[in-house]
Amino acid sequence: MQISIIRQTPAASILLMLLLVAMTFTRFAIAPYGDELIVGVAAPLGSWCDMFQAHYPVWGGLLSALIVVMIATKLGRMTSALGLYHVRTTISIPLYVIIACGIFIPTASLSVIVATYFVMQMLRHLCGVYVRGTDLNYAFYAGLCIGFAPLFYAPTAIFTLLLPIAILMFGLSWREVTVMIAGALLPLLATAYIGWLCGYEFTAPIIALVDAITTPSNYTLWESESVVALTLMGFILFVVICGIASFVADKHSLAVRPRTIMTFQIITLLIACAAFALPSATTGLFFAFALPAASLIPIALIRLRDLASNLTLLTLLVLVILHLFIA
């Protein structure tokens, strides 16, 4: 009987995730690549994370790795709970780490990963609004999370575009829209107010956020000097496109809600790709890009025969391991 990697138990997926996180963060701590050293202007709250990581690099790295584990686990639970696939699988858990950490880990990893955690929570709450029906708590927390994300890592501000898209796709009521907008504005206004109490200008965080978004970081996605990284990026993009094609070819076999959520994930992927065109983009965007990518790839793997899906995953793992030693 042939073993299928995508049908392994959640414990196996979590173990593989932990091994990948340990290997990639250890490599980053010992020998970071040049692309990982490119940083942009720190966001208002992200600067505090950067200072903490600069003073306590070991604790900052451990905390970053812990949050990555939380994001990957929550993503696997979300895709399983929403019934997005024809079979029960938690393969999105290690896939997230392969995409997020296997290519590059940014120098300011803590602020980037905290922002990505808020993006992940926004996606989870938006799906909760759609699945549960009218729920003001989910709508408020979705707005609150996307309001916090760019305060830690400025390029994640582009994911604010998901709010009007979710309003149209999920048919949210005007009350849900109102509390969602209030939640999105609250973090920035609260940061400005607290800064004003401390003696700063009220608009200082707003100006700092705009500056962090618009200041060029001089990072270019496809001009990396790492051949293995470019190969891994190309292969991931190919598998993601296969996942989208598999969904389009077989979307009518899914129920209405999973089909709508997967369509929303494709739109999220397009926005994540567009984020790399921002002047402030850095390698940290791979953490946010991995959220929709890790959700879409299993569709292609499930449609393939076990041998083909196993070879695809093994190829990804081999490239990640090679990238630990070869730039």
Side-chain angles (χ1 to χ4, degrees):
M1 182 178 178
Q2 193 170 22
I3 298 175
S4 174
I5 296 179
I6 64 171
R7 292 175 174 83
Q8 293 303 303
T9 62
S13 295
I14 292 173
L15 178 61
L16 179 57
M17 171 197 63
L18 293 175
L19 289 173
L20 288 169
V21 169
M23 290 189 302
T24 53
F25 272 87
T26 301
R27 190 277 306 162
F28 168 71
I30 296 173
Y33 295 131
D35 290 313
E36 296 172 325
L37 301 177
I38 299 175
V39 296
V41 175
L45 298 183
S47 60
W48 293 95
C49 292
D50 295 344
M51 285 192 295
F52 174 82
Q53 193 165 14
H55 284 87
Y56 307 100
V58 175
W59 287 108
L62 290 174
L63 187 57
S64 298
L66 176 62
I67 299 174
V68 168
V69 170
M70 292 171 59
I71 294 172
T73 305
K74 283 180 176 292
L75 181 66
R77 290 179 60 187
M78 185 185 78
T79 55
S80 178
L82 293 174
L84 301 182
Y85 312 121
H86 295 298
V87 299
R88 293 185 64 85
T89 178
T90 54
I91 195 62
S92 57
I93 295 176
L95 277 175
Y96 176 81
V97 179
I98 288 173
I99 302 168
C101 306
I103 306 172
F104 293 123
I105 297 175
T107 298
S109 61
L110 184 58
S111 57
V112 171
I113 294 169
V114 169
T116 305
Y117 178 81
F118 281 115
V119 175
M120 169 66 210
Q121 289 292 87
M122 177 202 65
L123 294 174
R124 190 171 73 86
H125 289 305
L126 286 177
C127 292
V129 172
Y130 178 56
V131 172
R132 291 177 176 267
T134 302
D135 194 321
L136 298 182
N137 288 331
Y138 277 96
F140 175 76
Y141 287 126
L144 190 70
C145 288
I146 197 54
F148 270 116
L151 294 178
F152 287 92
Y153 181 54
T156 55
I158 195 172
F159 290 100
T160 308
L161 295 174
L162 288 173
L163 295 186
I165 294 172
I167 291 170
L168 295 175
M169 290 187 64
F170 300 157
L172 303 187
S173 66
W174 67 268
R175 290 188 299 169
E176 291 170 321
V177 173
T178 302
V179 298
M180 186 182 292
I181 295 173
L185 294 176
L186 181 60
L188 183 58
L189 294 177
T191 303
Y193 179 69
I194 293 172
W196 177 71
L197 290 179
C198 295
Y200 297 97
E201 292 290 334
F202 184 82
T203 58
I206 301 172
I207 296 172
L209 179 59
V210 173
D211 186 49
I213 295 173
T214 57
T215 302
S217 66
N218 298 319
Y219 170 71
T220 304
L221 180 62
W222 297 111
E223 292 184 1
S224 173
E225 296 180 356
S226 174
V227 177
V228 180
L230 289 173
T231 304
L232 182 56
M233 282 190 280
F235 190 71
I236 288 172
L237 185 60
F238 169 74
V239 182
V240 169
I241 293 173
C242 290
I244 295 173
S246 299
F247 166 72
V248 172
D250 199 30
K251 64 179 181 179
H252 295 294
S253 63
L254 291 172
V256 174
R257 283 180 176 173
R259 184 165 70 241
T260 304
I261 291 172
M262 291 307 296
T263 304
F264 185 71
Q265 291 281 24
I266 294 174
I267 296 173
T268 305
L269 179 77
L270 295 176
I271 292 176
C273 292
F276 283 101
L278 292 173
S280 56
T282 64
T283 55
L285 281 172
F286 283 109
F287 284 94
F289 171 82
L291 292 171
S295 302
L296 292 167
I297 290 176
I299 304 176
L301 299 179
I302 291 170
R303 284 179 61 89
L304 293 172
R305 294 181 180 272
D306 288 342
L307 178 60
S309 61
N310 290 349
L311 287 175
T312 301
L313 286 169
L314 288 174
T315 302
L316 287 170
L317 289 173
V318 168
L319 288 172
V320 170
I321 293 172
L322 281 176
H323 197 37
L324 298 176
F325 308 100
I326 303 173

